[in-house]
Amino acid sequence: MTPSFVSRPSFAARHAGVLRRLPWLVLAVLALFPLLAPLFGVEYYVGFMRRVMIVAIAAASLNFILGYGGMAALGHAGFIGVGAYTVVALVEAGVASAWLAWGCALVGGGVFAALIGAVSLRTRGVYFIMITLAFAQMLYYLAVSLRTYGGDDGYGLYTPLTLGAGFDTAHPQLFYWVVLALAALVFAVFSRVAHARYGHALRGIRDNETRMVALGYPVYRLKLAGFVAAGAVAGLAGGLLASHNAFVSPGLMHWTQSALLLVMVMLGGAGRRWGAALGVALWLTLEEALKMYTDYWHWPLGLLLLLIVFHAQQGLAGLFGSRAQADVGGQGADVAGEVDGAAQERAGSAEA
Amino acid sequence: MDFIFVFEQVLNGLGYGLMLFLIAAGLTLVFGIMDTMNLAHGSLYMAGAYIAARVHESSGSFAGAVLLAVLLTVVVAVVLEALIIRHLYRRDHLVQVLATFGIILIADDAVKAIWGVAPLLASTPAALAGPIEVFPGLPYPAYRLLLIAAGLLVALGLYALVHGTRIGMLVRAGASNRQMAEFMGVRVGAVFAFVFALGAALAALAGAMMAPISAVQIGMGEAILIPALVVIVIGGIGSIRGAFVAALLVGLVDTAGRAFLPPALRAVLPPALAAELGPALAGIAMYVLMAAVLALKPAGLFPARA
Amino acid sequence: MSLFVADGLVKRFGGLLATDHVSLTVEAGEIHALIGPNGAGKSTLVNLISGLLPADAGRVLLDGTDLSTLAPHQRARAGLGRCFQITSVFRNDSVRDNLLLAVQAQAGSSFRCLRRRDSERELMARALELAAQLGLTAVLERPAGTLPHGVQKQLDVALALASRPRLLLLDEPMAGMGPEDSLQMLGLIERLRGDTAILLIEHDMDAVFQLADRISVLVYGRVLTSGDAAHVKAHPEVQAVYLGTEAA
């Protein structure tokens, strides 16, 4: 964790040019994928990629508060569920427009995040982890009991939502491109915000909250704003996931889903621009690939987590070890460690 | 709603609460002393349940099955502690979440490989299959009475261990001030290993005892983990006494919520609404309890670190 | 009226009265030192003034405005800057980023989300000005955590000065410093004289007698006496409880 001042040229430094163009290259390949897939007989993977991108949106929102804000929320799947059930409720009420449904999912996620965040952000450390978990569990049981929306059995969305101009979400390529565009937008905005005043303030809070208070930052409001933004984006991801699966069930909000999201962000590298995308892509691809060969596909993933914990503490993005990817500041230091460090500094200054 | 029904529910809540205590005791010690968030604690509970169910089925001896389940789980726990957990003590909570979630994934697959996907049907020991007349008009399953008795006995034993022995003193010293304990030359590593094994034994005991009255299946560890975490947060992380009080509280609130809330709501609300709201409120009762306790006492009912 | 007034501050920890009706004032441009043996409640007092600890009773006024009901960050915005006894900087960030973050705190809203912070010229200019003022220009790109202790402390002071505070709270700025670093810090505080009023908590008696316009002695949470260096040195009780033990 000790940052070395004189560092050897990192992977990123040596390949700076390539790395700068890489996101655009990936975007182009992803955009062309639905057109190329049929030529190779892999149409099935268009749907798979769509799911990867939706989960990546949710993971990016968690990365924003966890990696940049140091808020270790273990209930993020709750907001995904809020978004998904918002779509269900609107469909049940006769809404047909995808944009309206997803827009409301975004707002719904934000509203719930505002309520939950306002309470949770008054706690710290393990208690914050636990209270966010508790709220997500409440949402889970609420969904289980909503018999109108299928209760435990879930709710099937049999009619596709309209995207305008005569298209709907059943259109395989168009829905894919919409998801791709939204994912690109989400990543672009979060990356932009990370470099703006707000992003710097958020990282400052992560690293040394007491100091930020003494400097005059409205720490609680800044954290709450980030929490609400993350909840809203997770809600949007939930709305998209509802359309993607054409099915919504309380299982979306089970605590293991929240843990999984956390795991994917940490796997990719918390606090790094592409961490969430890398983590989700790797995890879901491995899951998909392992399922083809064996029924026992959980344990290799578990082993991977242990390997990451003991051998690649900064996640996948950290393996490339670079400032470009660490996304301003941070020196590529273990984000989790920094969260801890801030807590210790708080404790230290309280004792002083 | 008559007195008998209420009494029966109280006994149910007591039994559930005591089993929660067995699970939470280990969790709160590991959390309080090693400052380690162990999500895989539920997997030890699952191991205890599976081993006991299978051994009981093949040998016919329930006592032997419980004993073997506890012993084997402790062996697993000792290996787990030496290989993985020991190296997590000084790491960040999020890293601990990552690693112990990995252990859950491996444990679930291991159980699937050994015992298959289908849930096991564990039988109650034949001698205790019937009801006992607790007092005239209240027959109560004998096995559930055993559950309560065993839970109380273990709680007493644990209290005696923690407050009456040298190792217990070391454990308490570690929970209230780890650095001080280290400074005083306590062999912290050995104490940690002992505490982890003890926690595993209690979790396995709970699993073995719960097997006949719950579904023995993959995922049971993840399901029981959350109420156990709620218990230790309410009780105050690191406090055995807190875990005991909170476990009984959660057990009673949860049971009472499921038994009394739906009929109570039906009495005051339109039936359709009551039917939807009842189970939801019952399910979230313990989380509301936790939120309320944290709002009043942010470090739980009995904070281990004053 | 004085620039800063603490009026009857009280803080209890359980049965312990850590701050017992403490009142003191700091005039504009003045350096007011607070001394007292360990456990006298000096750091508690700083935390009560800056708002990190809620006071059980008493008021804090800056320029006649009552700050008592304000949250700590609002007190900072109102003109209370502070440093920490345990150096508190952003260890993984460069000195430049540390200064930018401090400058940003009170230069408009921190909720701005789209414009690159590093392209904001006014922020950068103010950060560089601060660096020059505190002699940090040579280490601008160094991560703060890699700097020697004395330089980190200078950065800590720079962070507190970024907002041009009316009153600067310095909590043992020379704690843990060697003679050379102490001398440098002494010079720094001397240069700040007149620009900003300072409430200085310090163990180093030589430094205190050299710097302070007025000195208050805190013992068991109470102000024993207040006055200039000669007055304090001559005070019999001070000699008994403080200087006496120091000399022995």
Side-chain angles (χ1 to χ4, degrees), chain B residues 53-147:
Chain B
R54 288 322 295 259
V55 173
H56 182 207
E57 187 187 271
S58 56
S59 74
S61 161
F62 183 71
V66 172
L67 197 66
L68 202 60
V70 171
L71 283 178
L72 286 178
T73 307
V74 166
V75 170
V76 171
V78 167
V79 173
L80 200 63
E81 202 271 345
L83 283 182
I84 299 169
I85 307 290
R86 182 174 297 175
H87 306 287
L88 295 175
Y89 294 148
R90 288 178 184 281
R91 302 287 293 274
D92 180 80
H93 287 137
L94 277 176
V95 173
Q96 293 161 356
V97 165
L98 202 66
T100 53
F101 193 76
I103 297 175
I104 291 181
L105 293 176
I106 296 171
D108 281 353
D109 260 6
V111 167
K112 192 157 93 177
I114 301 172
W115 291 294
V117 197
L120 295 189
L121 287 173
S123 50
T124 35
L128 298 167
I132 285 181
E133 196 105 339
V134 179
F135 52 77
L138 177 64
Y140 194 73
Y143 183 74
R144 284 180 179 264
L145 285 177
L146 173 77
L147 212 67

Side-chain angles (χ1 to χ4, degrees), chain A residues 145 148 255 295 298-299 309 336, chain B residues 91-92 109 112 222 276 280:
Chain A
S145 72
T148 322
W255 78 266
D295 282 341
H298 287 104
W299 72 266
V309 163
Chain B
R91 302 287 293 274
D92 180 80
D109 260 6
K112 192 157 93 177
E222 288 91 289
E276 291 226 337

